[in-house]
Amino acid sequence: MLTIAFLSLASVGMADKKAAEKWIDSEFQPSTLSKAEQMKEMEWFIKAAAPFKGMEIKVVSETIPTHEYESKVLAKAFYEITGIKVTHDLIQEGDVIEKLQVQFQSGENVFDAYINDSDLIGTHFRSGHVVNLTDWMAGEGKSVTLPTLDIDDFMGKSFTTGPDGKLYQLPDQQFANLYWFRYDWFQKPELKKAFKAKYGYELGVPVNWSAYEDIAEFFSEDVREIDGKAIYGHMDYGKKAPDLGWRFTDAWLSMAGAGDKGLPNGKPVDEWGIRVDGCKPVGSSVARGGATNGPAAKYALRKYMEWLRKYAPPGALGMDFYQSLPSLAKGNVAQQIFWYTAFTASMVEEGTPVVNADGTPKWRMAPSPHGPYWEEGQKLGYQDCGSWTLLKSTPLKRRQAAWLFAQFCVAKTVSLKKAHVGLTPIRDSDIRDKSFTERAPKLGGLVEFYRSPARVAWTPTGTNVPDYPKLSQLWWQNIGEAVAGEVTVSTAMDNLAKEQDKILMRLERAGILGACGPKLNEERDEAYWLNQPGSPKAKLANEKPQGETVDYDQLIQAWKAGKVK
């Protein structure tokens, strides 16, 4: 129950109160709160915003449906209810990071608040530029912190917490990178029979990369067409662009098994291959105890390139992330190992080739399969957590007003409706609401995934990465060279590891990241590190073990019963 004391009408503008009632009735349904509880929350916003009435603030985020809703609908509602005008800019993710860097380096106030990936947590807690929200909510931000914010209800709270136990970002939306497949095709008796005859096991959700590869081969080379239409066993993208880097830093190496055990991220070696000693990054290359150019990392790049060329539709190699998104909706792909649930909304539109006449999807999402280097206890894949971030260079009053809008966008009054619009849920209470129980059959496994204990094994980039903007640029450039055939897989990953070490070395010399700044290990013979327990891991004699699958319907029942698998 809410604990906000009811505010007298004398302290709440009647016009603002009427606006709040209008929005609650017309837009902010469903909600986990009753309308009376919603109204109390809105009355708190009206009172807390009174000193800022008439102000104009600017915030920024990447362009996805959730943020479009905030920009077009929630900013308007916030203005009518509080009198604070918000310009919410929508730009590409790389541009958001660039704007952040500009404000870091110049001290000029570019935006009053940023929604940026929690992948930057390692940068934020070290940089000295970002407001520590735990202390902010108890100090300068106390008067503008919503009493019913309920931080423990946020599923991504662990992703935005630094090693010091402090919260640096407030989750606004999150989505996982899961396995996507054509459930209807996988159920066809003739295909199930043919697959088992060839491979010796059941056609189902692949548990490992061996099975994924077998299924990709089967649909591309054996099935080849369904209902007179050419079909393919795999979908991906390969254009040399910044999003090619995210294709890898979004835990591809971890899925192969390159890192160490541990959640939310492997310790001491994470999914970027960076090793830490305590909180200090000590190396990326195998020679320094890292795993960016280890056997598992090179295997991961090699498999990505092989599958893209052999099993994906024509043109996929030249596509970027954004161009590849519509491909699955065309209905000619059997599966995709690397698919973001943020695009669920576009995949459930009635009338598309991947949706049945009754509105149920022909596809399903399931856990990502793992590579041969993966061990129980490692993260299984990536989860994006776009989160509100305040910078110290933003003037206090503007920061306080922006914090009010940030909380408005995630408050329980609006969060459930926003989750239904963008399908990027952030609150445990929202995903467990009866409205999602009713909608679950049309969302292909999204609700079951987020209600299952398995959701914790998909996590964003962790705190080992001390400067995300600088280091992330290296990935697409080096991997792009391998994809284009300019260098070998081995050379690309060796170069990437060396370049990451160079940046870590520069940061160490600069001494600007405090007690958790890099302090690189001396280089040693790679054999020393490859023979130590954990990551980096020595090359396996057999990188293609027996394929293994699981029945999707049994998996869903396990999730519903509260089991991981």
Side-chain angles (χ1 to χ4, degrees):
M1 292 293 289
L2 293 185
T3 56
I4 301 177
F6 189 79
L7 302 170
S8 70
L9 289 181
S11 64
V12 177
M14 287 298 293
D16 300 335
K17 188 170 185 288
K18 284 192 179 300
E21 287 173 343
K22 178 195 81 171
W23 281 98
I24 288 168
D25 288 339
S26 65
E27 181 65 30
F28 300 149
Q29 300 300 328
S31 170
T32 56
L33 305 183
S34 68
K35 286 190 177 182
E37 289 172 327
Q38 287 180 291
M39 197 60 218
K40 285 183 180 180
E41 227 176 35
M42 291 300 99
E43 285 171 354
W44 179 87
F45 274 105
I46 294 164
K47 188 176 182 184
F52 311 95
K53 200 163 187 173
M55 276 185 71
E56 294 187 19
I57 59 170
K58 280 185 70 177
V59 303
V60 68
S61 71
E62 67 172 309
T63 309
I64 63 170
T66 297
H67 299 322
E68 289 173 359
Y69 180 72
E70 291 164 345
S71 178
K72 293 170 185 172
V73 179
L74 296 187
K76 184 171 186 267
F78 185 70
Y79 176 57
E80 290 183 11
I81 293 167
T82 67
I84 301 171
K85 187 171 185 181
V86 181
T87 300
H88 184 149
D89 283 357
L90 300 168
I91 58 180
Q92 288 199 353
E93 183 186 354
D95 296 327
V96 175
I97 294 172
E98 187 183 321
K99 300 291 185 189
L100 262 173
Q101 281 183 291
V102 169
Q103 189 158 340
F104 275 14
Q105 291 160 6
S106 70
E108 298 284 327
N109 189 49
V110 183
F111 286 97
D112 300 309
Y114 293 79
I115 302 176
N116 63 105
D117 285 356
S118 70
D119 296 334
L120 280 89
I121 183 65
T123 310
H124 289 342
F125 94 86
R126 290 180 177 94
S127 71
H129 297 300
V130 174
V131 174
N132 156 358
L133 296 179
T134 301
D135 293 349
W136 161 261
M137 290 186 286
E140 290 179 321
K142 187 173 184 181
S143 64
V144 287
T145 294
L146 179 64
T148 51
L149 187 56
D150 192 3
I151 293 294
D152 290 337
D153 192 36
F154 287 87
M155 296 185 288
K157 183 182 72 164
S158 64
F159 308 154
T160 60
T161 300
D164 54 4
K166 307 282 189 180
L167 192 75
Y168 284 84
Q169 300 170 276
L170 181 69
D172 178 86
Q173 52 82 5
Q174 65 188 76
F175 53 90
N177 192 317
L178 298 178
Y179 171 75
W180 181 100
F181 72 107
R182 283 296 296 267
Y183 177 80
D184 57 339
W185 294 352
F186 279 48
Q187 295 302 303
K188 286 179 177 286
E190 67 274 21
L191 296 185
K192 289 170 77 73
K193 184 179 177 183
F195 183 86
K196 188 166 186 183
K198 181 172 182 179
Y199 298 100
Y201 60 97
E202 299 292 338
L203 176 60
V205 173
V207 173
N208 57 14
W209 283 16
S210 299
Y212 184 85
E213 184 172 89
D214 288 346
I215 294 167
E217 179 186 66
F218 176 69
F219 277 98
S220 291
E221 297 181 3
D222 292 83
V223 181
R224 299 179 70 181
E225 69 172 55
I226 291 178
D227 298 329
K229 189 182 200 177
I231 57 124
Y232 302 89
H234 170 66
M235 183 60 204
D236 219 321
Y237 55 95
K239 187 176 180 180
K240 190 176 180 181
D243 36 297
L244 182 60
W246 304 326
R247 171 66 182 77
F248 280 77
T249 58
D250 287 0
W252 186 243
L253 270 57
S254 182
M255 289 165 67
D260 272 313
K261 296 177 184 179
L263 295 173
N265 303 88
K267 286 293 176 80
V269 180
D270 72 352
E271 67 276 14
W272 287 46
I274 297 175
R275 175 180 285 269
V276 292
D277 181 2
C279 65
K280 292 177 181 293
V282 295
S284 170
S285 61
V286 173
R288 297 184 194 274
T292 308
N293 61 330
K298 290 177 179 178
Y299 162 82
L301 176 55
R302 195 166 60 249
K303 279 295 158 194
Y304 155 80
M305 288 171 53
E306 184 184 321
W307 295 343
L308 180 60
R309 283 174 165 80
K310 288 175 76 172
Y311 307 126
L317 188 62
M319 289 182 187
D320 65 18
F321 169 72
Y322 299 97
Q323 293 166 325
S324 71
L325 292 178
S327 292
L328 294 182
K330 291 178 183 174
N332 66 343
V333 175
Q335 59 172 359
Q336 184 165 335
I337 192 170
F338 197 87
W339 180 76
Y340 293 95
T341 65
F343 304 103
T344 304
S346 62
M347 296 296 294
V348 296
E349 290 177 9
E350 294 189 20
T352 62
V354 293
V355 175
N356 292 309
D358 64 358
T360 57
K362 296 178 181 178
W363 55 269
R364 299 290 189 274
M365 60 185 80
S368 323
H370 53 73
Y373 292 88
W374 188 88
E375 300 169 86
E376 200 73 48
Q378 283 189 252
K379 67 184 283 182
L380 258 173
Y382 176 78
Q383 189 159 183
D384 189 286
C385 187
S387 306
W388 287 99
T389 307
L390 303 178
L391 301 191
K392 293 177 181 176
S393 52
T394 300
L396 178 59
K397 194 172 180 182
R398 300 189 70 80
R399 205 189 309 157
Q400 288 173 325
W403 179 239
L404 283 170
F405 179 63
Q407 294 171 100
F408 184 83
C409 290
V410 302
K412 290 183 180 179
T413 293
V414 307
S415 63
L416 180 54
K417 174 60 185 285
K418 188 178 86 168
H420 276 288
V421 172
L423 297 176
T424 56
I426 49 169
R427 290 187 176 274
D428 189 68
S429 59
D430 286 341
I431 199 63
R432 297 189 189 283
D433 185 74
K434 65 181 181 185
S435 62
F436 268 117
T437 302
E438 292 162 2
R439 198 177 173 194
K442 293 190 175 182
L443 296 180
L446 180 75
V447 175
E448 291 84 352
F449 171 76
Y450 270 110
R451 287 180 176 178
S452 83
R455 74 185 184 199
V456 302
W458 281 259
T459 67
T461 294
T463 55
N464 289 23
V465 181
D467 193 326
Y468 184 94
K470 284 193 181 75
L471 291 164
S472 62
Q473 291 174 14
L474 303 175
W475 287 71
W476 68 271
Q477 292 162 356
N478 283 286
I479 286 164
E481 288 179 358
V483 175
E486 295 165 16
V487 298
T488 64
V489 163
S490 188
T491 298
M493 298 311 281
D494 287 344
N495 289 345
L496 173 59
K498 284 176 192 167
E499 288 177 27
Q500 285 205 139
D501 279 349
K502 280 181 189 171
I503 286 181
L504 295 177
M505 206 174 289
R506 276 190 226 128
L507 292 169
E508 180 180 350
R509 286 187 192 133
I512 55 174
L513 297 182
C516 291
K519 187 171 177 54
L520 265 67
N521 285 333
E522 292 295 323
E523 289 187 313
R524 305 182 68 143
D525 188 278
E526 290 188 359
Y528 168 80
W529 288 107
L530 291 172
N531 287 318
Q532 298 295 314
S535 186
K537 300 165 185 176
K539 184 174 171 62
L540 291 170
N542 176 21
E543 290 182 326
K544 194 179 180 191
Q546 173 65 32
E548 184 185 347
T549 57
V550 62
D551 180 78
Y552 178 79
D553 295 311
Q554 289 180 10
L555 176 71
I556 285 293
Q557 286 308 313
W559 278 355
K560 287 179 177 176
K563 298 173 185 172
V564 174
K565 58 185 177 180

